[in-house]
Amino acid sequence: MKDPLASEVLRELRKAQRVVVFTGAGVSAESGIATFRDALTGLWTHFRAEDLATPEGFQRDPELVWGWYEARRAQVLRARPNPAHHAIAQLATHLPRVTVVTQNVDDLHERAGSAGVLHLHGSLHAPRCARCGARYPLPEASPQEPSGEGRLAPPRCGLCGGLVRPGVVWFGEMLPERELVAAQRAALGSDFLLCVGTSGVVWPAAGIPGIARDAGATVVQVNADASDLDALCHFNLRGPAGEVLPALLSAAFPGVTGEAR
Ligand code: BV8
Ligand code: ZN
C-alpha cells in the first residue's frame, strides 16, 4: 500500500476496537452486479431504477417489476463474492467487533463469510406477500427468465392469494426498524467506520457515516469515484474496492488475503 494516506489509516485501523463497515452497490460491482448509477441494461434500458424501485411502480406494472428483480436475483445467484467481500469478512477475525451494514440487496457479504450483516434496504432473497406480508419460499430452481419485454408474472401468496413482491425497501418506504436502529447504534458506538462503494445519496442510510464521525470515529472511504461523502470522511482512498480493500486490510493485518477460503 504506497498511498501516503494509508499509513495513518493503518495506524488507526490497527488500534480500532469497534468497527463499522458500511457498504453500497460499489462493493458488489467487481462481482459483476450493476450499481444503481449504471443505466438499467437489457430489457429495462428505457426505465429508471427510481421508477421501478417504488410501490407505485409495482402497482402499475407488477410483471415488469417482478421480472426486473428476478433477473437481478438470477444475476446475483450466478455471481461470486469478490476480494472486497472476502477482505471484509476476514477483517472480523482480527478485531474485537466488526459490524457490516449494507445498502445492498444481494447476499455476497454472507457468502464471503460475514455474519450478522445488517441489510438496511432488504434482500432479493426474501420475497413476501404484498397483501399479508407472509414470506414466500423461493423455489430451489433458479429464477425463471423474464419474457422478451422483461415481464414475469409474480407468484401468488399461498395463504391469501395476494401478489408476491420483492423483499426490498423501495423508495418512499420505511427502512426496517430493527436493522436501522442497530446500524445507527453501531455507528454511534464505533471508533472506526469504513465506507465502501456508496454514493451517499440515499437517505436515511446515507446518514450512517455522519453518525460515526460525530461520535468521534475515524471515517475512511473507499470509492472508485468522488461521492457525496468525500467532505465528511477523514481519509478518501480512491480506487476499486476489490483492489484497495485487500491491499489496505492485508497491510494492517497480514492474515487478511481477500481470497476465498
Ligand atoms: C424513506 C433497494 C421514509 C431497492 C434502495 C420522497 C418520498 C419519500 C422519500 C424520499 C423522497 N425524496 C427523497 C426521499 C428519501 C429517499 C431518498 O433518499 N431518495 C434519494 C434518491 C434522494 N429515501 C427513501 O425513499 C427511503 N425511505 O425515506 O422512508 C419516508 C417514507 C415515506 C415518505 C417520506 C419518507 C428508502 C430508500 C431505499 C431505496 N431502496 N435499494 C433495490 O435495490 O431495487 S436504494 C438503492 O439506491 C441502493 O440500495 C443504494 O443504496 C442506492 C444508491 O444506488 P447506487 O448509486 O448504485 O449505489 P450507491 O449509492 O451505493 O453508489 C455506487 C457507488 O459505488 C458510487 O459512489 C460509485 O462511485 C461506487 N463504485 C462503483 N464501482 C466501484 C465503486 N466503489 C468501489 N469499487 C468499485 N468497483
Ligand atoms: Zn398473503
Side-chain angles (χ1 to χ4, degrees), residues 22-30 34-38 49-50 52-54 68-69 72 82 84 102-105 120-124 168-175 196-206 221-228 239-243:
F22 177 65
T23 65
V27 79
S28 297
E30 288 152 273
T35 72
F36 259 65
R37 246 70 337 242
D38 308 332
E50 285 78 349
L52 296 184
T54 63
W68 181 48
Y69 279 92
R72 288 172 62 191
N82 69 61
T102 189
Q103 302 168 87
N104 299 338
V105 294
L120 297 184
H121 294 157
S123 166
L124 285 171
V168 302
V169 179
W170 278 326
F171 288 99
E173 293 189 319
M174 303 300 275
L175 275 58
V196 185
T198 182
S199 58
V201 162
V202 176
W203 288 81
Q221 179 177 212
V222 173
N223 199 315
D225 224 327
S227 84
D228 282 13
E243 290 164 29

Side-chain angles (χ1 to χ4, degrees), residues 20-244:
V20 169
V21 182
F22 177 65
T23 65
V27 79
S28 297
E30 288 152 273
S31 296
I33 308 290
T35 72
F36 259 65
R37 246 70 337 242
D38 308 332
L40 294 201
T41 51
L43 304 163
W44 297 275
T45 31
H46 43 293
F47 291 95
R48 289 180 334 126
E50 285 78 349
D51 298 332
L52 296 184
T54 63
E56 298 73 25
F58 185 69
Q59 226 100 41
R60 201 173 31 246
D61 192 340
E63 300 199 358
L64 181 73
V65 173
W66 182 254
W68 181 48
Y69 279 92
E70 280 297 88
R72 288 172 62 191
R73 186 167 71 86
Q75 188 187 41
V76 169
L77 291 174
R78 286 192 300 270
R80 281 206 302 278
N82 69 61
H85 296 107
H86 288 299
I88 290 167
Q90 291 159 13
L91 177 68
T93 62
H94 293 269
L95 288 169
R97 191 182 314 161
V98 174
T99 307
V100 179
V101 178
T102 189
Q103 302 168 87
N104 299 338
V105 294
D106 64 50
D107 60 349
L108 295 175
H109 281 304
E110 289 85 349
R111 285 163 54 192
S114 289
V117 178
L118 297 172
H119 281 266
L120 297 184
H121 294 157
S123 166
L124 285 171
H125 308 284
R128 63 174 189 274
C129 174
R131 188 187 296 165
C132 73
R135 282 205 58 159
Y136 178 77
L138 283 164
E140 284 301 308
S142 66
Q144 269 180 287
E145 283 303 316
S147 68
E149 323 84 58
R151 281 185 166 71
L152 190 62
R156 290 275 173 181
C157 167
L159 298 180
C160 76
L163 281 179
V164 172
R165 58 160 283 174
V168 302
V169 179
W170 278 326
F171 288 99
E173 293 189 319
M174 303 300 275
L175 275 58
E177 180 74 13
R178 185 191 77 78
E179 284 78 1
L180 181 58
V181 168
Q184 290 169 332
R185 276 220 183 98
L188 206 54
S190 67
D191 54 7
F192 193 100
L193 182 136
L194 193 55
C195 186
V196 185
T198 182
S199 58
V201 162
V202 176
W203 288 81
I208 294 292
I211 292 172
R213 164 101 203 217
D214 295 348
T218 300
V219 181
V220 177
Q221 179 177 212
V222 173
N223 199 315
D225 224 327
S227 84
D228 282 13
L229 295 166
D230 285 14
L232 177 150
C233 294
H234 295 105
F235 301 101
N236 288 303
L237 304 181
R238 191 68 83 239
E243 290 164 29
V244 172

